[in-house]
Amino acid sequence: MFKIVRREEMAEGTVILNEIEAPLIARKAKPGQFVILKANEEGERVPLTMAETDSEKGTITIIYMVVGKSTAIFRDLKVGDEYQDVIGPLGKATHLENVGNVVCVGGGTGVAVLHPITRGLKDVGNHVTCIIGARNKDLLILEEQMKAASHDLRVCTDDGSYGRSGFVTEELKDILDSDKDIKLVVAIGPVPMMKFVSKITKEYNVKTIVSLNPIMVDGTGMCGGCRVSVGGETKFACVDGPEFDGHEVDYDELAKRLQAYSEDEKKCYEDYCALENA
Amino acid sequence: MAEKKEKKEKIPRQPMPEQKPEIRRRNFEEVPIGYTPETAMLEASRCLQCKKPSCVEGCPVQVDIPGFIGFIKDGDFTGAIRHLWTKNSLPAVCGRVCPQEIQCEGRCVVGKKGEPVAIGNLERFAADYERKNGSGDLPPKQSPTGKKVAVVGSGPSGLTVAGDLVVKGHDVTVMEAFHKPGGVLVYGIPEFRLPKEIVFSEVNFLERLGAKVECNTVVGRTVSLDELFEEGYDAVYLGVGAGLPRFMNLPGENLIGILSANEYLTRANLMKAYRFPEVDTPIPIGKDVVVLGAGNVAMDSARTAMRLGADRVRIVYRRSREEMPARGAEIHHAEEEGIELFLLTNPTKFVGNEEGRLTGMECLKMELGEPDESGRRSPVAIEGSEFHMDCDLVIVAVGSGANPLLTQSTPDMKLNKWGYIEADPETGKTTKKGVWAGGDIVTGAATVILAMGAGRKAADSIHEYLTWGW
């Protein structure tokens, strides 16, 4: 069992942070890696990339948006409650190397995944510019932490309620126009956002890394549920990724595959909400 | 007169009562119902108690078959299970999933002139009787040796190693990547062939013997092989299986509605998705289902799809019936449940709609050519035989390979060209000191009992090493 030692509500309670006791995972985890969590006996296995790990305290931190039944069950866990199963660290760690000037782009809860990678890239000596975005000011997360993890933080909101008005891609374009020496872009967020970031960086011929979030079951390479097309080849995101060359990913296929169980998911969530409200 | 006498003396092989096909095809309950004590004793009385029993030679873990059957014949069911445990820590599993017709029962003398003694059914009976009515008393154990062994993977071979070594007094820890132990017994073989409660009961038996089971531990990620030695383990056994699904590598294979058999069966069995939405893991329900491949995993997938409510389930195979690798009994059960064999057919392309969901496949008819190296006649496409087949769910059951997750992080261990671990076939020793391996990660996908046989040999070798050194 894996006890929750800290819990925070972010972004109007739609985004939740859990710090969980998992000493074996905390000891080994590196930026970019994920865990699989299962709340209880009847629960499903849910993959989430770690936002933080503390090897001394023996804890890992996950940040997730409540989008369906499983994340709603996670949300309802209090400090002192336990996850029945936490498995990890899984996936390949981010390749951290000093390449010079780097831009990290995060959207929605992708910012949580981006955070340890940004800090890692800064720690190895890169100059890191960071762009984070959300639909509006209240949904923005980890602004302070991202500021500390980078040299220069830019904020965008779709509705202009905070920072620059518009999408992160517009800010990215401006940076790429003004600084011809960007060597790497890391983009983590919703599939359309990663798709458009990759489209832009391709025009500027800047290497781009994205972190993919397909449906997973085991997370250890034994089922292929998480398969994605990268450069025309099938890869398993859980063992070959989750990070891939953004210019090679088939985003449309990924977006479709993420809808495989949409009806079941919707029904499950509605039933759970109805039960909670009853 | 002579004929009459013969009939009177000869007891026929006692049939295993089964759920009727038209009922069981829509439920997940076990198909065979099991012997009653009376039937078991009657069947046991058919054993000739050979002095040099050839049935034992046919058993990969050398169970003393006449020995345990003798106890059943006398009505001493507790004696039977205790006798079985000395050679086999998973009798409830083996009695159900072993291909006895090519092992113990295939060598039975009684079978030369009639039906062989139902050894598998009797083994199953003894184990089930103990589980339901037994005293819970454990077999004797040797005093602690102070040696620590890590067993990586809790499938059939790992559990066998753990059982053998814990009885010999070693401190054994089994490490499992999934959240439940059992390996293929839990995620692969369906409930209707092997109820999961039985697997957990066998694992619990090992835990009561003193073996520790740590789930959620991915050796190669959570802890490396070298770290296990640093943590004080004296020997490591790798029984991680061949859990890397093979796909057909055809256009359209990433459409929604195409799953590896591993994924489909893991959802159904380990995650109990057949009970969705009572449990949270969903599973695609196909109306018109195609299973690609013709091994036991294909049969399990097809029968699962039928139980989940399919209107039609077809097994599509590129060779003919004679070449199908599944056990005859499995094919028979599948056909009884209404599953169709669609033979000499090979898909060339998957077709989907705008949402990226599968709607059908393009296929070619095949004919059999000359036998290949393995002796099987290889299929050759018939020119101009292209046709379309509608389907909304395809389960790919064309085999599995070696999962590289562990071996990638262990560069000093020799692998063969397919990524399987090289291990001495007699001892299970790998090229890395203190590390043994067995089961599917050495041989490629095979059977439960062969993995257990490999585990037995490795356990003997590990015990020797821990006692005497190399």
Side-chain angles (χ1 to χ4, degrees):
Chain A
M1 300 292 262
F2 301 80
K3 197 200 260 182
I4 297 173
V5 296
R6 185 166 66 98
R7 180 182 183 279
E8 274 177 35
E9 294 196 358
M10 311 158 96
E12 299 179 311
T14 60
V15 176
I16 313 288
L17 175 151
N18 284 158
E19 186 177 346
I20 305 162
E21 267 178 11
L24 293 179
I25 301 173
R27 187 182 66 177
K28 294 279 278 196
K30 294 194 173 66
Q33 290 189 300
F34 67 94
V35 288
I36 286 201
L37 303 103
K38 184 168 165 287
N40 54 40
E41 188 61 29
E42 288 75 33
E44 62 178 338
R45 294 166 64 100
V46 178
L48 283 169
T49 304
M50 288 172 276
E52 188 84 60
T53 55
D54 187 330
S55 55
E56 277 173 31
K57 264 173 85 185
T59 60
I60 62 165
T61 300
I62 50 159
I63 295 175
Y64 53 88
M65 182 177 278
V66 179
V67 291
K69 180 177 177 184
S70 290
T71 41
I73 292 170
F74 291 2
R75 173 197 61 203
D76 294 347
L77 296 172
K78 311 271 179 296
V79 170
D81 288 349
E82 291 167 329
Y83 283 90
Q84 191 173 71
D85 301 289
V86 181
I87 302 107
L90 299 170
K92 287 184 179 160
T94 309
H95 179 67
L96 296 172
E97 187 190 1
N98 186 354
V99 293
N101 290 358
V102 173
V103 182
C104 292
V105 191
T109 47
V111 175
V113 177
L114 190 67
H115 177 236
I117 298 168
T118 308
R119 199 170 50 194
L121 286 167
K122 190 183 171 195
D123 286 348
V124 297
N126 291 290
H127 183 272
V128 183
T129 306
C130 195
I131 312 168
I132 59 174
R135 280 209 308 279
N136 61 51
K137 184 175 191 285
D138 296 322
L139 293 176
L140 195 73
I141 61 166
L142 297 177
E143 186 185 356
E144 286 304 309
Q145 289 89 335
M146 291 309 284
K147 201 167 192 170
S150 57
H151 296 93
D152 179 6
L153 177 73
R154 319 278 179 91
V155 179
C156 307
T157 51
D158 296 2
D159 67 352
S161 52
Y162 187 62
R164 177 175 178 160
S165 176
F167 297 134
V168 288
T169 40
E170 288 157 24
E171 183 70 28
L172 175 65
K173 233 173 153 146
D174 288 350
I175 294 173
L176 291 169
D177 279 332
S178 62
D179 183 351
K180 297 291 172 203
D181 209 26
I182 303 288
K183 291 285 191 291
L184 175 72
V185 170
V186 181
I188 304 175
V191 175
M193 172 257 186
M194 293 192 282
K195 178 182 171 177
F196 286 113
V197 165
S198 300
K199 206 176 157 201
I200 288 164
T201 57
K202 180 119 196 186
E203 285 164 22
Y204 289 83
N205 201 20
V206 178
K207 186 181 170 188
T208 301
I209 300 292
V210 294
S211 179
L212 304 185
N213 58 338
I215 292 171
M216 286 187 190
V217 183
D218 62 290
T220 59
M222 63 151 280
C223 87
C226 66
R227 58 199 197 275
V228 288
S229 294
V230 182
E233 276 180 54
T234 294
K235 301 276 182 190
F236 291 2
C238 71
V239 288
D240 300 321
E243 290 173 17
F244 292 100
D245 180 341
H247 297 153
E248 300 281 328
V249 172
D250 184 339
Y251 295 101
D252 295 341
E253 181 187 278
L254 172 64
K256 282 176 185 164
R257 284 183 63 82
L258 280 165
Q259 297 303 312
Y261 299 95
S262 52
E263 277 172 40
D264 285 336
E265 287 165 358
K266 193 168 161 241
K267 177 84 175 53
C268 252
Y269 189 30
E270 283 168 1
D271 290 352
Y272 184 75
C273 293
L275 203 69
E276 273 198 323
N277 293 332
Chain B
M1 266 312 272
E3 202 189 327
K4 202 177 175 188
K5 197 181 167 196
E6 170 105 9
K7 265 186 186 165
K8 209 174 179 183
E9 278 178 4
K10 206 165 183 184
I11 302 159
R13 177 176 161 120
Q14 296 302 299
M16 184 63 125
E18 285 180 351
Q19 273 199 80
K20 288 198 169 58
E22 58 275 22
I23 305 218
R24 71 176 196 241
R25 69 201 283 270
R26 294 298 193 199
N27 73 47
F28 278 85
E29 280 150 45
E30 199 176 7
V31 172
I33 293 155
Y35 280 163
T36 61
E38 295 72 28
T39 320
M41 287 166 72
L42 192 60
E43 180 62 29
S45 72
R46 297 179 67 231
C47 174
L48 302 177
Q49 296 289 319
C50 304
K51 287 273 181 298
K52 285 184 182 168
S54 46
C55 54
V56 177
E57 289 164 27
C59 172
V61 293
Q62 277 88 50
V63 165
D64 173 15
I65 293 164
F68 95 81
I69 290 183
F71 282 107
I72 296 182
K73 188 181 159 200
D74 298 341
D76 180 0
F77 306 138
T78 303
I81 188 68
R82 292 177 73 82
H83 197 69
L84 268 165
W85 278 340
T86 60
K87 288 287 186 181
N88 185 354
S89 43
L90 307 169
V93 172
C94 290
R96 287 173 164 83
V97 304
C98 277
Q100 286 97 1
E101 69 276 13
I102 58 164
Q103 292 173 343
C104 53
E105 292 181 21
R107 307 276 194 101
C108 174
V109 173
V110 180
K112 297 227 157 74
K113 277 193 173 176
E115 289 287 309
V117 174
I119 301 166
N121 290 351
L122 289 171
E123 182 179 33
R124 170 191 159 136
F125 169 78
D128 287 0
Y129 188 88
E130 171 68 19
R131 195 175 61 256
K132 286 175 195 145
N133 314 301
S135 62
D137 290 348
L138 293 170
K141 229 173 95 171
Q142 284 164 33
S143 51
T145 61
K147 301 284 184 183
K148 280 178 75 181
V149 183
V151 173
V152 183
S154 66
S157 83
L159 292 179
T160 301
V161 171
D164 282 11
L165 291 180
V166 83
V167 167
K168 292 187 162 88
H170 305 297
D171 179 355
V172 180
T173 304
V174 182
M175 293 166 189
E176 167 57 45
F178 266 133
H179 57 274
K180 288 228 163 88
V184 75
L185 307 175
V186 167
Y187 78 75
I189 302 176
E191 190 82 15
F192 55 83
R193 280 218 292 139
L194 178 63
K196 300 311 142 209
E197 132 206 21
I198 288 167
V199 180
F200 299 136
S201 156
E202 303 265 49
V203 173
N204 180 255
F205 165 72
L206 292 177
E207 287 184 293
R208 288 194 293 127
L209 273 175
K212 291 180 280 267
V213 179
E214 287 178 3
C215 290
N216 298 330
T217 307
V218 188
V219 177
R221 294 272 200 233
T222 315
V223 61
S224 74
L225 205 46
D226 288 325
E227 282 166 333
L228 290 177
F229 289 106
E230 286 164 24
E231 285 177 15
Y233 286 97
D234 299 290
V236 176
Y237 177 77
L238 302 176
V240 296
L244 183 79
R246 290 216 180 97
F247 285 92
M248 304 281 289
N249 296 318
L250 295 177
E253 202 158 20
N254 291 344
L255 287 165
I256 299 168
I258 305 175
L259 282 78
S260 73
N262 268 6
E263 178 178 0
Y264 187 69
L265 293 174
T266 298
R267 284 178 181 273
N269 301 327
L270 177 75
M271 305 311 295
K272 302 240 177 293
Y274 65 88
R275 286 174 45 208
F276 181 87
E278 276 174 66
V279 300
D280 297 338
T281 305
I283 190 163
I285 307 293
K287 284 290 154 201
D288 194 349
V289 181
V290 164
V291 177
L292 299 175
N296 291 321
V297 174
M299 298 304 136
D300 286 345
S301 303
R303 298 173 71 193
T304 298
M306 182 58 85
R307 280 161 175 76
L308 283 168
D311 294 333
R312 186 177 196 192
V313 181
R314 280 177 283 189
I315 298 220
V316 170
Y317 182 50
R318 60 195 179 129
R319 291 183 161 101
S320 72
R321 190 180 181 114
E322 285 68 52
E323 289 81 21
M324 287 174 73
R327 282 177 70 190
E330 301 303 329
I331 300 171
H332 175 68
H333 271 140
E335 286 192 300
E336 276 187 335
E337 290 164 12
I339 288 150
E340 300 162 51
L341 303 183
F342 207 88
L343 304 168
L344 291 164
T345 301
N346 211 19
T348 52
K349 181 185 175 183
F350 299 102
V351 186
N353 63 16
E354 279 168 14
E355 289 176 0
R357 287 178 192 268
L358 176 76
T359 55
M361 33 182 227
E362 301 293 331
C363 300
L364 279 173
K365 293 303 286 180
M366 312 295 278
E367 59 191 352
L368 289 181
E370 293 303 306
D372 64 11
E373 290 156 21
S374 68
R376 282 199 300 187
R377 294 177 66 190
S378 34
V380 184
I382 300 172
E383 230 175 281
S385 66
E386 294 85 359
F387 71 103
H388 178 89
M389 192 189 268
D390 281 337
C391 54
D392 59 358
L393 178 62
V394 163
I395 299 152
V396 185
V398 296
S400 56
N403 187 324
L405 192 139
L406 168 65
T407 50
Q408 253 169 13
S409 59
T410 316
D412 52 342
M413 191 167 54
K414 206 171 166 196
L415 308 179
N416 69 16
K417 63 177 171 177
W418 298 285
Y420 295 112
I421 297 173
E422 286 206 353
D424 183 321
E426 286 314 308
T427 63
K429 273 182 191 169
T430 71
T431 55
K432 189 172 165 72
K433 190 176 186 297
V435 179
W436 281 254
D440 288 1
I441 189 58
V442 172
T443 58
T447 62
V448 167
I449 190 67
L450 286 177
M452 290 176 61
R456 163 65 41 77
K457 285 178 179 172
D460 289 345
S461 173
I462 293 169
H463 178 63
E464 256 177 45
Y465 168 73
L466 295 176
T467 313
W468 314 104
W470 283 109

